[in-house]
Amino acid sequence: MHTFYIRAVRAESLKLKRSPVWLAFFTLPLISAFFGTMNYKLNISVLQSEWYSLWSQHTLFLCYLFMPALIGTYCSYLWRLEHTRHNWNSFLTAPVPISILYLGKLTQAVRVTILGNLWIFLLYYVCGKFAGIPSSFPREALAWFLCGTLGAVVVCCVQLLLSLLIRSFAIPIGVALAGGIFGLFMTNRNYGMNYPYSLYCMGMRANNPNMEIRVSTLLVNSIGYILLFAALSIFYLRRHERAAG
């Protein structure tokens, strides 16, 4: 099983080696960091919490708009070959368990999401130094990163299922964008922990570094959603595997 998994991950990695999605993962957080830092500098008389104020500006649009859409784009791209080249028969009849084929795609989505999160925090640190913030880097940043990454895996699982079910490349991305926007509404109504697209934003403490959350609830809900959407994707693929066989 370990060998099959490594092969599935490598196969997905080769498909996406020259994917233009990488450029979006690099560019959009950079744009968000630039405008967030400029807004912080221009309003420094009001935004007096230094690193925490800067974080609120960096994540204002990034976590609710850009990242869900980026994850949605990448997940659509992961299923693009199967949808556009009618590659389903060869995919489903490969001598590899369906669950491993799915995990290969999920691993790639999670890998890119983690790299995207690392890039966000690197920009945050560099911009803070550029802005001349004298205090030390917030210790809470590690918790933001870990909780945010867990919530992002939930979004990956949701978007992989949507992109599996919907042949269109753009529709799942639109759903991700709408889901992120609606996540802000759910968070403001104190339902964020129960809504999959809000878990990433809440984990990252998007736009509110002082937000208090129950990490245990975030952990349980995230794992529950991950298992649910992964199981639904594998169930759907197994049904089609029997039809292809």
Side-chain angles (χ1 to χ4, degrees):
M1 294 291 282
H2 178 266
T3 303
F4 287 147
Y5 172 72
I6 295 297
R7 288 178 180 174
V9 171
R10 285 178 178 172
E12 295 300 329
S13 181
L14 286 173
K15 290 179 189 176
L16 301 167
K17 194 171 183 179
R18 293 183 175 85
S19 168
V21 178
W22 284 98
L23 182 61
F25 266 94
F26 175 81
T27 304
L28 287 180
L30 188 63
I31 294 171
S32 182
F34 173 78
F35 284 107
T37 304
M38 291 302 102
N39 194 51
Y40 169 77
K41 291 283 286 181
L42 292 171
N43 296 279
I44 202 166
S45 60
V46 178
L47 302 171
Q48 297 182 348
S49 297
E50 299 184 338
W51 285 105
Y52 301 97
S53 294
L54 180 65
W55 183 245
S56 70
Q57 299 306 301
H58 272 222
T59 56
L60 183 60
F61 296 110
L62 181 64
C63 292
Y64 287 105
L65 297 177
F66 294 159
M67 279 300 287
L70 283 173
I71 294 172
T73 302
Y74 196 75
C75 290
S76 285
Y77 204 90
L78 282 166
W79 288 111
R80 184 170 179 267
L81 181 64
E82 282 73 30
H83 283 317
T84 59
R85 298 189 183 180
H86 306 289
N87 199 38
W88 279 109
N89 281 344
S90 59
F91 177 81
L92 294 172
T93 57
V96 179
I98 284 294
S99 58
I100 298 299
L101 292 173
Y102 170 79
L103 284 175
K105 291 187 182 290
L106 178 60
T107 298
Q108 285 301 316
V110 172
R111 173 173 160 249
V112 171
T113 300
I114 290 174
L115 289 174
N117 259 10
L118 287 171
W119 176 233
I120 289 168
F121 278 89
L122 176 61
L123 289 170
Y124 174 49
Y125 176 78
V126 170
C127 290
K129 293 300 181 181
F130 169 78
I133 297 177
S135 57
S136 57
F137 194 69
R139 290 175 295 176
E140 301 94 328
L142 178 60
W144 301 344
F145 173 80
L146 293 175
C147 292
T149 299
L150 181 62
V153 176
V154 174
V155 179
C156 289
C157 290
V158 176
Q159 290 301 135
L160 279 175
L161 176 61
L162 289 173
S163 296
L164 169 63
L165 297 174
I166 302 170
R167 292 179 60 88
S168 168
F169 183 84
I171 291 176
I173 300 170
V175 173
L177 184 60
I181 295 170
F182 192 66
L184 177 60
F185 172 82
M186 294 294 282
T187 301
N188 289 337
R189 295 294 186 277
N190 296 319
Y191 297 124
M193 282 291 186
N194 301 314
Y195 181 63
Y197 287 96
S198 295
L199 294 172
Y200 173 65
C201 307
M202 296 190 72
M204 292 281 275
R205 314 306 197 274
N207 200 34
N208 185 5
N210 298 314
M211 182 191 300
E212 293 184 4
I213 66 169
R214 296 190 60 158
V215 175
S216 59
T217 303
L218 178 76
L219 181 65
V220 170
N221 288 4
S222 296
I223 292 174
Y225 275 126
I226 289 168
L227 293 176
L228 172 64
F229 288 107
L232 289 172
S233 296
I234 292 170
F235 174 75
Y236 179 85
L237 286 169
R238 282 179 174 160
R239 285 187 60 192
H240 281 258
E241 180 188 31
R242 288 194 292 270

